[in-house]
Amino acid sequence: MAEIKNYAGNYVFGLDIGTRSIVGTVGYQKDDQFIVLAQRVKEHDTRAMIDGQIHDIGRVGATIQKVKEALEEALNITLTDVCIAAAGRVLRTINIHVDYHFEEDKIVTTEDIYALNSLGIEKAYDEFNVKNNSEIKFYCVGYSIIKYYLNDYPMGNLENHKGKTISADMIATFLPDDVVDGLYKAVEIAGLKVANLTLEPIAAIQVAIPEMYRMLNIALIDVGAGTSDISITKDGSIIAYGMISTAGDCLTEVLAKHCLVDFVTADQIKKDSENKELIEYKDIMGLTQKISVEEVRNVLESTVRGMTKQVADKLKELNGEKSVSAVFVVGGGGKIEGYTKLLAKELDIAPERVALRGEEVMQKIIFMEEDTIKDSLMVTPIGICLCFYEESNNFIYVNFNNQRIKLYDNKKLAVVDAAMQANFPNDGLFPRRGRELNFTINHKSRIVRGKLGEAAVITVNGETADLYMPIQSNDRVVVTRSSAGEPAMLEIKDLPEYKASLEVIVNDQKISLPKFALVNGSLKSGYYNIQENDDIMMLNEYTVKQIVDFMDVSLNQNMNIYVNNKLADFETKVYENFSVIWTMECEENQVINSEVKQNQEVDGSITVSVNGNPVTMTGKDSYIFVDVFDYIDFDLSKPQGKGIITNVNGNKTQYMDALKNGDIIDIYWS
């Protein structure tokens, strides 16, 4: 072929290993076009595959061998590497939301986004393993970011934005190990090596839904023989995958029963109904029969209706219980008459918005063989080839902490991917905080976080590395667990609510009293180390007894105690800047007190100005400053500042200083 001689690059060999047949495609990409040099199709001789899954590896491998040889003969080349796709039937998907918090606002870096994505994949693994009740090992073969968030606000690109929390809605896709091994072994039987493994829904989208349309909420239905695979796009991403196990073979089985023929004959009747008005066949008795295309449609109508209802229900479930804007249908099963109209009806959208995709999406696909039919059957096979340029994925082996593990290589593999596949605990990768401290302060909950520990120590092939270092096949990765930091510790004196001292006036002398806190009912000093679940109340007062004990003085029974010039006892509470006086009762004092009592009965009065207002004090022969508080509204028990300012005639005064008629008094909180 002249085209081969003129092309010096590498060819792409893609295999669509379907339930009914295997399609082989060889071609290459030139600018924005894909040149298909040749295609060959071979149907399975037996039902070696059922519902998209290999049941007889040997027979499938033999059929692949025949397709490979036919292409080699047609092109006069030797094929060694092949691109394949896993069927939608075996996919498992998990939709998750993940948050990544920083200690404080910071500029988001590429590493932060990678850490967020890795955390999301790990969360998807955890949720998937909870739901996976089998012993089969699954691999995460890809993930899509549906939407990023910065401080809970949707964001297209997080990098270089400043925030405290970054989040993502993600969809992670998993494949079972036995399915992957079955595909690999089948192509190995044919003497081939896997160059790229993709997913059939992704392959179909490569051709059927161009990148510019993926901003729309569109569904792609790949109706094969065994399964109907569903994928949905929105906002530029694939947001969901799904599958129902009802497809073309169900229609074939209905025809087989109606016409009394074997499966292969029934399948041919189904195909002929696409372009013939009258189909002739032989039943199992060897008798020649005829069936009209109208009868075929009538026989299949209820089954097609059931198929489209199942597809519509599944599509709505995947799309948030609502329909999509449009649906593209590919695959042979979707070509049956009435399929697209019935699906549109079930989805309650206009019939013209559900359409088969074939030649109209292959404008940039050039077929070198003139007899090629450009229809919906060709979409997935060509998409498998195109995925090679987009993904180039395969499975590789690496050594992780002396354990040989298999990884799906998306050409973006890093140490963290190997760690997750090896079930290395996530808290062993990243620096761990020490134990946090939880307590209450004045009835409000408070948390103090522990200190960060050391990051994991990582080497790749003996060289120092980090979590995001790329890895390749046969790399040797060693990860030593990260350490936890010191637990949170806090003394009461370090609390914002704590004030170091309380100042009161005792017998006209300023006394500085250390501040205490009530912890779980017991008095503690500022040097007390707070413990988990402590209940702390900051004390802003002393009792007279506590002041006496602190000053280490002895008061006998003949002592009188005054707080703010009012008779008090040991339990009376004393606040910031309060005055405390204690006096000795003796015979001389008793005489003085008797005289004072007599004088109090004498009618005497003075008028002073308090904060600009005249105040007349009566009933005593003489007055001291503290007497003013009996005539004004000034609550000493509720401090409203650091201290009380007391001035008489512009000069600072003491509580026991005498007052005279006409004095100008100022009293206020500082």
Side-chain angles (χ1 to χ4, degrees), residues 404-431:
R404 190 168 184 259
I405 62 171
K406 185 165 67 174
L407 293 167
Y408 184 69
D409 184 14
N410 57 9
K411 302 307 176 187
K412 300 176 183 177
L413 283 180
V415 170
V416 67
D417 300 299
M420 285 188 289
Q421 188 62 45
N423 295 321
F424 193 86
N426 189 63
D427 62 4
L429 293 173
F430 300 96

PDB file of all heavy atoms in Angstrom, residues 404-431:
ATOM      1  N   ARG A 404       6.049  -6.440  45.196  1.00  0.00           N
ATOM      2  CA  ARG A 404       5.855  -6.199  43.763  1.00  0.00           C
ATOM      3  C   ARG A 404       4.391  -5.883  43.518  1.00  0.00           C
ATOM      4  O   ARG A 404       3.508  -6.704  43.808  1.00  0.00           O
ATOM      5  CB  ARG A 404       6.271  -7.442  42.951  1.00  0.00           C
ATOM      6  CG  ARG A 404       6.335  -7.192  41.437  1.00  0.00           C
ATOM      7  CD  ARG A 404       7.041  -8.362  40.757  1.00  0.00           C
ATOM      8  NE  ARG A 404       7.215  -8.146  39.320  1.00  0.00           N
ATOM      9  CZ  ARG A 404       6.444  -8.695  38.385  1.00  0.00           C
ATOM     10  NH1 ARG A 404       5.458  -9.507  38.743  1.00  0.00           N
ATOM     11  NH2 ARG A 404       6.673  -8.458  37.106  1.00  0.00           N
ATOM     12  N   ILE A 405       4.113  -4.709  42.990  1.00  0.00           N
ATOM     13  CA  ILE A 405       2.731  -4.294  42.773  1.00  0.00           C
ATOM     14  C   ILE A 405       2.522  -3.890  41.322  1.00  0.00           C
ATOM     15  O   ILE A 405       3.438  -3.439  40.644  1.00  0.00           O
ATOM     16  CB  ILE A 405       2.331  -3.125  43.705  1.00  0.00           C
ATOM     17  CG1 ILE A 405       3.198  -1.892  43.438  1.00  0.00           C
ATOM     18  CG2 ILE A 405       2.404  -3.527  45.155  1.00  0.00           C
ATOM     19  CD1 ILE A 405       2.721  -0.650  44.153  1.00  0.00           C
ATOM     20  N   LYS A 406       1.277  -4.064  40.877  1.00  0.00           N
ATOM     21  CA  LYS A 406       0.898  -3.717  39.512  1.00  0.00           C
ATOM     22  C   LYS A 406       0.133  -2.406  39.534  1.00  0.00           C
ATOM     23  O   LYS A 406      -0.773  -2.217  40.349  1.00  0.00           O
ATOM     24  CB  LYS A 406       0.057  -4.833  38.895  1.00  0.00           C
ATOM     25  CG  LYS A 406      -0.290  -4.597  37.427  1.00  0.00           C
ATOM     26  CD  LYS A 406      -0.792  -5.875  36.756  1.00  0.00           C
ATOM     27  CE  LYS A 406      -2.112  -6.344  37.295  1.00  0.00           C
ATOM     28  NZ  LYS A 406      -2.658  -7.486  36.540  1.00  0.00           N
ATOM     29  N   LEU A 407       0.484  -1.494  38.603  1.00  0.00           N
ATOM     30  CA  LEU A 407      -0.143  -0.176  38.547  1.00  0.00           C
ATOM     31  C   LEU A 407      -0.644   0.106  37.138  1.00  0.00           C
ATOM     32  O   LEU A 407       0.005  -0.272  36.158  1.00  0.00           O
ATOM     33  CB  LEU A 407       0.852   0.920  38.936  1.00  0.00           C
ATOM     34  CG  LEU A 407       1.354   0.946  40.374  1.00  0.00           C
ATOM     35  CD1 LEU A 407       2.543   1.885  40.482  1.00  0.00           C
ATOM     36  CD2 LEU A 407       0.254   1.403  41.309  1.00  0.00           C
ATOM     37  N   TYR A 408      -1.777   0.778  37.067  1.00  0.00           N
ATOM     38  CA  TYR A 408      -2.283   1.253  35.778  1.00  0.00           C
ATOM     39  C   TYR A 408      -1.536   2.532  35.448  1.00  0.00           C
ATOM     40  O   TYR A 408      -1.667   3.556  36.122  1.00  0.00           O
ATOM     41  CB  TYR A 408      -3.786   1.504  35.870  1.00  0.00           C
ATOM     42  CG  TYR A 408      -4.421   1.918  34.564  1.00  0.00           C
ATOM     43  CD1 TYR A 408      -4.526   1.012  33.515  1.00  0.00           C
ATOM     44  CD2 TYR A 408      -4.933   3.195  34.393  1.00  0.00           C
ATOM     45  CE1 TYR A 408      -5.124   1.375  32.325  1.00  0.00           C
ATOM     46  CE2 TYR A 408      -5.534   3.571  33.208  1.00  0.00           C
ATOM     47  CZ  TYR A 408      -5.628   2.651  32.172  1.00  0.00           C
ATOM     48  OH  TYR A 408      -6.220   3.018  30.988  1.00  0.00           O
ATOM     49  N   ASP A 409      -0.725   2.478  34.403  1.00  0.00           N
ATOM     50  CA  ASP A 409       0.172   3.581  34.065  1.00  0.00           C
ATOM     51  C   ASP A 409      -0.517   4.590  33.153  1.00  0.00           C
ATOM     52  O   ASP A 409      -0.684   4.358  31.962  1.00  0.00           O
ATOM     53  CB  ASP A 409       1.430   3.031  33.382  1.00  0.00           C
ATOM     54  CG  ASP A 409       2.448   4.133  33.098  1.00  0.00           C
ATOM     55  OD1 ASP A 409       2.288   5.233  33.655  1.00  0.00           O
ATOM     56  OD2 ASP A 409       3.386   3.884  32.336  1.00  0.00           O
ATOM     57  N   ASN A 410      -0.888   5.719  33.729  1.00  0.00           N
ATOM     58  CA  ASN A 410      -1.494   6.790  32.942  1.00  0.00           C
ATOM     59  C   ASN A 410      -0.476   7.863  32.568  1.00  0.00           C
ATOM     60  O   ASN A 410      -0.822   8.980  32.211  1.00  0.00           O
ATOM     61  CB  ASN A 410      -2.662   7.426  33.708  1.00  0.00           C
ATOM     62  CG  ASN A 410      -2.242   7.952  35.056  1.00  0.00           C
ATOM     63  OD1 ASN A 410      -1.060   8.011  35.378  1.00  0.00           O
ATOM     64  ND2 ASN A 410      -3.208   8.323  35.871  1.00  0.00           N
ATOM     65  N   LYS A 411       0.788   7.492  32.672  1.00  0.00           N
ATOM     66  CA  LYS A 411       1.908   8.389  32.370  1.00  0.00           C
ATOM     67  C   LYS A 411       1.989   9.553  33.347  1.00  0.00           C
ATOM     68  O   LYS A 411       2.705  10.521  33.112  1.00  0.00           O
ATOM     69  CB  LYS A 411       1.831   8.916  30.926  1.00  0.00           C
ATOM     70  CG  LYS A 411       1.828   7.814  29.877  1.00  0.00           C
ATOM     71  CD  LYS A 411       2.987   6.844  30.029  1.00  0.00           C
ATOM     72  CE  LYS A 411       2.889   5.702  29.034  1.00  0.00           C
ATOM     73  NZ  LYS A 411       3.918   4.661  29.262  1.00  0.00           N
ATOM     74  N   LYS A 412       1.245   9.447  34.434  1.00  0.00           N
ATOM     75  CA  LYS A 412       1.311  10.464  35.480  1.00  0.00           C
ATOM     76  C   LYS A 412       1.577   9.826  36.835  1.00  0.00           C
ATOM     77  O   LYS A 412       1.336  10.427  37.878  1.00  0.00           O
ATOM     78  CB  LYS A 412      -0.005  11.258  35.536  1.00  0.00           C
ATOM     79  CG  LYS A 412      -0.356  11.984  34.251  1.00  0.00           C
ATOM     80  CD  LYS A 412      -1.706  12.662  34.374  1.00  0.00           C
ATOM     81  CE  LYS A 412      -2.117  13.329  33.065  1.00  0.00           C
ATOM     82  NZ  LYS A 412      -3.467  13.943  33.153  1.00  0.00           N
ATOM     83  N   LEU A 413       2.074   8.574  36.809  1.00  0.00           N
ATOM     84  CA  LEU A 413       2.271   7.851  38.059  1.00  0.00           C
ATOM     85  C   LEU A 413       3.353   8.513  38.913  1.00  0.00           C
ATOM     86  O   LEU A 413       4.392   8.929  38.423  1.00  0.00           O
ATOM     87  CB  LEU A 413       2.669   6.408  37.776  1.00  0.00           C
ATOM     88  CG  LEU A 413       1.550   5.450  37.351  1.00  0.00           C
ATOM     89  CD1 LEU A 413       2.109   4.067  37.098  1.00  0.00           C
ATOM     90  CD2 LEU A 413       0.454   5.397  38.404  1.00  0.00           C
ATOM     91  N   ALA A 414       3.083   8.571  40.215  1.00  0.00           N
ATOM     92  CA  ALA A 414       4.043   9.101  41.171  1.00  0.00           C
ATOM     93  C   ALA A 414       4.118   8.153  42.363  1.00  0.00           C
ATOM     94  O   ALA A 414       3.348   7.189  42.460  1.00  0.00           O
ATOM     95  CB  ALA A 414       3.631  10.505  41.616  1.00  0.00           C
ATOM     96  N   VAL A 415       5.045   8.443  43.274  1.00  0.00           N
ATOM     97  CA  VAL A 415       5.231   7.591  44.451  1.00  0.00           C
ATOM     98  C   VAL A 415       3.920   7.397  45.197  1.00  0.00           C
ATOM     99  O   VAL A 415       3.595   6.302  45.652  1.00  0.00           O
ATOM    100  CB  VAL A 415       6.295   8.215  45.385  1.00  0.00           C
ATOM    101  CG1 VAL A 415       6.332   7.482  46.722  1.00  0.00           C
ATOM    102  CG2 VAL A 415       7.664   8.171  44.729  1.00  0.00           C
ATOM    103  N   VAL A 416       3.132   8.470  45.297  1.00  0.00           N
ATOM    104  CA  VAL A 416       1.885   8.386  46.066  1.00  0.00           C
ATOM    105  C   VAL A 416       0.918   7.364  45.463  1.00  0.00           C
ATOM    106  O   VAL A 416       0.176   6.690  46.187  1.00  0.00           O
ATOM    107  CB  VAL A 416       1.219   9.784  46.173  1.00  0.00           C
ATOM    108  CG1 VAL A 416       0.745  10.274  44.820  1.00  0.00           C
ATOM    109  CG2 VAL A 416       0.089   9.780  47.177  1.00  0.00           C
ATOM    110  N   ASP A 417       0.926   7.195  44.130  1.00  0.00           N
ATOM    111  CA  ASP A 417       0.053   6.211  43.487  1.00  0.00           C
ATOM    112  C   ASP A 417       0.454   4.788  43.873  1.00  0.00           C
ATOM    113  O   ASP A 417      -0.392   3.935  44.138  1.00  0.00           O
ATOM    114  CB  ASP A 417       0.099   6.375  41.967  1.00  0.00           C
ATOM    115  CG  ASP A 417      -0.362   7.748  41.526  1.00  0.00           C
ATOM    116  OD1 ASP A 417      -1.523   8.089  41.799  1.00  0.00           O
ATOM    117  OD2 ASP A 417       0.429   8.479  40.924  1.00  0.00           O
ATOM    118  N   ALA A 418       1.767   4.544  43.882  1.00  0.00           N
ATOM    119  CA  ALA A 418       2.254   3.225  44.285  1.00  0.00           C
ATOM    120  C   ALA A 418       1.907   2.943  45.742  1.00  0.00           C
ATOM    121  O   ALA A 418       1.538   1.816  46.106  1.00  0.00           O
ATOM    122  CB  ALA A 418       3.764   3.135  44.065  1.00  0.00           C
ATOM    123  N   ALA A 419       2.024   3.963  46.585  1.00  0.00           N
ATOM    124  CA  ALA A 419       1.713   3.797  48.005  1.00  0.00           C
ATOM    125  C   ALA A 419       0.253   3.407  48.211  1.00  0.00           C
ATOM    126  O   ALA A 419      -0.063   2.517  49.002  1.00  0.00           O
ATOM    127  CB  ALA A 419       2.033   5.084  48.759  1.00  0.00           C
ATOM    128  N   MET A 420      -0.642   4.058  47.479  1.00  0.00           N
ATOM    129  CA  MET A 420      -2.069   3.752  47.621  1.00  0.00           C
ATOM    130  C   MET A 420      -2.393   2.360  47.099  1.00  0.00           C
ATOM    131  O   MET A 420      -3.176   1.627  47.698  1.00  0.00           O
ATOM    132  CB  MET A 420      -2.911   4.816  46.920  1.00  0.00           C
ATOM    133  CG  MET A 420      -2.963   6.117  47.695  1.00  0.00           C
ATOM    134  SD  MET A 420      -4.140   7.302  47.018  1.00  0.00           S
ATOM    135  CE  MET A 420      -3.304   7.764  45.523  1.00  0.00           C
ATOM    136  N   GLN A 421      -1.784   1.975  45.960  1.00  0.00           N
ATOM    137  CA  GLN A 421      -2.051   0.649  45.417  1.00  0.00           C
ATOM    138  C   GLN A 421      -1.536  -0.438  46.361  1.00  0.00           C
ATOM    139  O   GLN A 421      -2.091  -1.534  46.441  1.00  0.00           O
ATOM    140  CB  GLN A 421      -1.402   0.496  44.038  1.00  0.00           C
ATOM    141  CG  GLN A 421      -1.783  -0.769  43.304  1.00  0.00           C
ATOM    142  CD  GLN A 421      -3.272  -0.842  42.999  1.00  0.00           C
ATOM    143  OE1 GLN A 421      -3.884   0.132  42.557  1.00  0.00           O
ATOM    144  NE2 GLN A 421      -3.883  -1.977  43.273  1.00  0.00           N
ATOM    145  N   ALA A 422      -0.472  -0.117  47.110  1.00  0.00           N
ATOM    146  CA  ALA A 422       0.096  -1.080  48.058  1.00  0.00           C
ATOM    147  C   ALA A 422      -0.599  -1.023  49.413  1.00  0.00           C
ATOM    148  O   ALA A 422      -0.171  -1.689  50.359  1.00  0.00           O
ATOM    149  CB  ALA A 422       1.588  -0.801  48.237  1.00  0.00           C
ATOM    150  N   ASN A 423      -1.685  -0.225  49.500  1.00  0.00           N
ATOM    151  CA  ASN A 423      -2.442  -0.065  50.749  1.00  0.00           C
ATOM    152  C   ASN A 423      -1.591   0.507  51.878  1.00  0.00           C
ATOM    153  O   ASN A 423      -1.814   0.204  53.054  1.00  0.00           O
ATOM    154  CB  ASN A 423      -3.066  -1.399  51.181  1.00  0.00           C
ATOM    155  CG  ASN A 423      -4.109  -1.891  50.206  1.00  0.00           C
ATOM    156  OD1 ASN A 423      -4.888  -1.108  49.673  1.00  0.00           O
ATOM    157  ND2 ASN A 423      -4.131  -3.193  49.959  1.00  0.00           N
ATOM    158  N   PHE A 424      -0.589   1.318  51.510  1.00  0.00           N
ATOM    159  CA  PHE A 424       0.202   2.008  52.525  1.00  0.00           C
ATOM    160  C   PHE A 424      -0.686   3.075  53.157  1.00  0.00           C
ATOM    161  O   PHE A 424      -1.318   3.856  52.449  1.00  0.00           O
ATOM    162  CB  PHE A 424       1.430   2.648  51.880  1.00  0.00           C
ATOM    163  CG  PHE A 424       2.464   3.122  52.866  1.00  0.00           C
ATOM    164  CD1 PHE A 424       3.426   2.258  53.339  1.00  0.00           C
ATOM    165  CD2 PHE A 424       2.471   4.439  53.306  1.00  0.00           C
ATOM    166  CE1 PHE A 424       4.395   2.696  54.238  1.00  0.00           C
ATOM    167  CE2 PHE A 424       3.422   4.879  54.207  1.00  0.00           C
ATOM    168  CZ  PHE A 424       4.393   4.007  54.674  1.00  0.00           C
ATOM    169  N   PRO A 425      -0.771   3.128  54.484  1.00  0.00           N
ATOM    170  CA  PRO A 425      -1.716   4.062  55.123  1.00  0.00           C
ATOM    171  C   PRO A 425      -1.409   5.512  54.789  1.00  0.00           C
ATOM    172  O   PRO A 425      -0.246   5.929  54.798  1.00  0.00           O
ATOM    173  CB  PRO A 425      -1.544   3.779  56.618  1.00  0.00           C
ATOM    174  CG  PRO A 425      -0.220   3.113  56.736  1.00  0.00           C
ATOM    175  CD  PRO A 425      -0.011   2.351  55.470  1.00  0.00           C
ATOM    176  N   ASN A 426      -2.450   6.261  54.513  1.00  0.00           N
ATOM    177  CA  ASN A 426      -2.285   7.662  54.128  1.00  0.00           C
ATOM    178  C   ASN A 426      -1.632   8.478  55.234  1.00  0.00           C
ATOM    179  O   ASN A 426      -0.836   9.377  54.973  1.00  0.00           O
ATOM    180  CB  ASN A 426      -3.646   8.255  53.765  1.00  0.00           C
ATOM    181  CG  ASN A 426      -3.524   9.638  53.160  1.00  0.00           C
ATOM    182  OD1 ASN A 426      -2.933   9.806  52.111  1.00  0.00           O
ATOM    183  ND2 ASN A 426      -4.068  10.639  53.835  1.00  0.00           N
ATOM    184  N   ASP A 427      -1.955   8.152  56.498  1.00  0.00           N
ATOM    185  CA  ASP A 427      -1.370   8.931  57.590  1.00  0.00           C
ATOM    186  C   ASP A 427       0.112   8.631  57.775  1.00  0.00           C
ATOM    187  O   ASP A 427       0.801   9.282  58.555  1.00  0.00           O
ATOM    188  CB  ASP A 427      -2.131   8.717  58.904  1.00  0.00           C
ATOM    189  CG  ASP A 427      -2.091   7.277  59.376  1.00  0.00           C
ATOM    190  OD1 ASP A 427      -1.419   6.439  58.740  1.00  0.00           O
ATOM    191  OD2 ASP A 427      -2.739   6.968  60.394  1.00  0.00           O
ATOM    192  N   GLY A 428       0.611   7.617  57.045  1.00  0.00           N
ATOM    193  CA  GLY A 428       2.036   7.343  57.073  1.00  0.00           C
ATOM    194  C   GLY A 428       2.801   8.073  55.994  1.00  0.00           C
ATOM    195  O   GLY A 428       4.038   8.037  55.952  1.00  0.00           O
ATOM    196  N   LEU A 429       2.079   8.738  55.092  1.00  0.00           N
ATOM    197  CA  LEU A 429       2.719   9.466  54.003  1.00  0.00           C
ATOM    198  C   LEU A 429       2.948  10.930  54.348  1.00  0.00           C
ATOM    199  O   LEU A 429       3.985  11.506  54.026  1.00  0.00           O
ATOM    200  CB  LEU A 429       1.861   9.382  52.732  1.00  0.00           C
ATOM    201  CG  LEU A 429       1.727   8.008  52.074  1.00  0.00           C
ATOM    202  CD1 LEU A 429       0.711   8.082  50.950  1.00  0.00           C
ATOM    203  CD2 LEU A 429       3.071   7.536  51.553  1.00  0.00           C
ATOM    204  N   PHE A 430       1.977  11.524  54.979  1.00  0.00           N
ATOM    205  CA  PHE A 430       2.034  12.955  55.234  1.00  0.00           C
ATOM    206  C   PHE A 430       2.369  13.213  56.708  1.00  0.00           C
ATOM    207  O   PHE A 430       2.071  12.380  57.570  1.00  0.00           O
ATOM    208  CB  PHE A 430       0.703  13.620  54.874  1.00  0.00           C
ATOM    209  CG  PHE A 430       0.325  13.443  53.434  1.00  0.00           C
ATOM    210  CD1 PHE A 430      -0.536  12.427  53.041  1.00  0.00           C
ATOM    211  CD2 PHE A 430       0.850  14.272  52.462  1.00  0.00           C
ATOM    212  CE1 PHE A 430      -0.880  12.256  51.713  1.00  0.00           C
ATOM    213  CE2 PHE A 430       0.513  14.116  51.134  1.00  0.00           C
ATOM    214  CZ  PHE A 430      -0.353  13.103  50.757  1.00  0.00           C
ATOM    215  N   PRO A 431       3.002  14.342  57.007  1.00  0.00           N
ATOM    216  CA  PRO A 431       3.309  14.659  58.412  1.00  0.00           C
ATOM    217  C   PRO A 431       2.044  14.590  59.256  1.00  0.00           C
ATOM    218  O   PRO A 431       1.000  15.128  58.871  1.00  0.00           O
ATOM    219  CB  PRO A 431       3.856  16.091  58.333  1.00  0.00           C
ATOM    220  CG  PRO A 431       4.346  16.238  56.940  1.00  0.00           C
ATOM    221  CD  PRO A 431       3.442  15.404  56.089  1.00  0.00           C
TER     222      PRO A 431
END
